[in-house]
Amino acid sequence: MITKQKGTYDVYGVDAKKREYVNDVIKGVCEKYNYNYIETPVFEATELFHRSVGDTSDMVSKETYDFKDRGDRSITLRPEGTASIARWFLENKLYGNMTEPVKVFYNEKMYRYERPQSGRNREFTQFGVEFIGSDDVMADIDVISLAYQTYCLLGLEPVIKINSLGDKESRDNYREALINYLRPHIDELCDDCKQRLEKNPLRVLDCKVDSGSEILKNAPKIIDYLNQESLDRYNKIKDYLDLLEINYEEDSRLVRGLDYYDHIVFEIYVNIESIGKMALGGGGRYNGLIKLLGDIDMPAVGFAMGYDRTLLAMEEAGVKIPINENIDVYVMYVSDTEKETASYLTQNLRLNGFVTETDYLNKGLKGEFKSADRLNAKYLIILNDKDLEDNKVNVKDNMTKEEEKVNINDLVDYLDMHM
Ligand code: AMP
């Protein structure tokens, strides 16, 4: 038997309905914040991710699905959304006549060759937003507040962890201080961090292997290396967060896994008794990315969250997801002679907005009653030739069990009135 690939999953039934619910909440929030929906291709030129995300990130160096297509092109399944959107922005020259910032959201499958575990898969869905064209902290706040509100509306109690990576000057100063501090301890770092130290020392700070070590705990903090401008900017963000009553914490070790961030970086987590702290998503400002890909100066800020962990968190937090498992009407027939009318009525009721089912397996009345109960039908329409001769059907309220004969022409009005 052919089975699904490791780290992939099929979504069906209640799980699919839960995802649909999360989708609806996300869509509602994005509409309010005026973000437009965007879809980008599942595969892109490999170079897009290597240039943007950076070769020192685990995601690109170890986790991408890379392959040659039949035309010998190097292709990568997208591991994240931001690089594709930057590519789209540049390819369509949207920087040409920008009168408003570009605000988009996506809801797409991503691919990373990771070790599958709870809330971590090889194919997974991410929701994310990108706000391109404003360097104002108001744009940072727009994105953070959208992320925060999404989780609140999903019934969770999110906390935003924030840090600032400052501008290039601040980062260069910090980078030097960090290398000087870490170099004498190089033998105590994990093999990956030994490599990262010279290429991208900030990444050492979010290493999962070394995270508990004393060396990292005592490392210099980036906040002490921010120049005045970067510090003012960071303080302003905190003022806004206070004003908007967004629950946040500062974390000097937060650098995020990707190379293209500057200034604000943030992560969203929840703290649930049964599972402890769990990061659900994150983002930050990436003013250098579009320049890197297309030589255009263009400030931008964004955020992404994973569905798997969000649903896991909702489950663990006991969030009741409203799932409608009822249908409105079940159309039943006694014998073959009523089937045409059953088919016509089923179609007609659907066209009039009722969730309607009927019997496709010739179960007979007894089986049909059972099906109607399994589907939680609110109303049963029972057809028999005798009633049909008078253009009538038998309508049964499946809760009260009351029955009434209704003229077929009045059926829609009758159901509208009673539903
Ligand atoms: P990142 O793009 O790595 O910053 O991840 C943002 C969010 O996407 C994470 O907080 C997770 O919720 C989710 N995510 C990242 N990688 C995976 C994965 N392999 N499987 C499921 N969700 C993921």
Side-chain angles (χ1 to χ4, degrees), residues 9 59 63 79-81 106 110-115 117 119-127 151 256-258 261 267-268 279-283 304-310:
Y9 48 81
M59 191 173 83
E63 295 167 2
E80 56 101 45
Y106 58 86
M110 303 294 166
Y111 300 85
R112 295 185 197 172
Y113 194 82
E114 292 196 73
R115 200 163 55 80
Q117 49 190 294
R120 194 157 281 281
N121 290 292
R122 291 185 173 169
E123 183 186 63
F124 59 98
T125 305
Q126 265 189 351
F127 152 60
Y151 285 112
R256 307 269 308 139
L258 310 180
Y261 288 111
E267 206 164 81
I268 301 200
L280 301 179
M305 71 167 230
Y307 268 54
D308 307 69
R309 295 225 204 140
T310 300

Side-chain angles (χ1 to χ4, degrees), residues 393-411:
V393 293
N394 203 5
V395 181
K396 181 170 179 179
D397 181 326
N398 207 21
M399 281 277 281
T400 61
K401 308 294 177 200
E402 276 168 25
E403 287 185 45
E404 227 177 306
K405 298 240 190 281
V406 178
N407 190 294
I408 286 193
N409 301 328
D410 301 332
L411 189 57

Side-chain angles (χ1 to χ4, degrees), residues 97-112:
N97 54 351
M98 273 184 94
T99 48
E100 299 292 337
V102 170
K103 294 166 72 175
V104 289
F105 78 98
Y106 58 86
N107 212 342
E108 299 194 301
K109 296 268 171 132
M110 303 294 166
Y111 300 85
R112 295 185 197 172

Side-chain angles (χ1 to χ4, degrees), residues 19-80:
R19 275 170 190 257
E20 229 172 279
Y21 171 76
V22 174
N23 274 343
D24 288 346
V25 169
I26 285 170
K27 196 163 161 269
V29 177
C30 287
E31 265 171 18
K32 306 280 183 327
Y33 281 74
N34 197 30
Y35 284 73
N36 293 307
Y37 181 64
I38 182 169
E39 282 181 22
T40 62
V42 167
F43 60 89
E44 299 267 3
T46 298
E47 194 198 349
L48 175 67
F49 302 109
H50 282 264
R51 245 166 74 188
S52 61
V53 179
D55 286 334
T56 55
S57 82
D58 281 357
M59 191 173 83
V60 163
S61 59
K62 296 185 193 157
E63 295 167 2
T64 48
Y65 278 85
D66 301 321
F67 59 95
K68 283 274 170 90
D69 74 2
R70 289 171 198 268
D72 209 30
R73 298 173 195 90
S74 290
I75 301 291
T76 294
L77 300 186
R78 79 179 158 226
E80 56 101 45

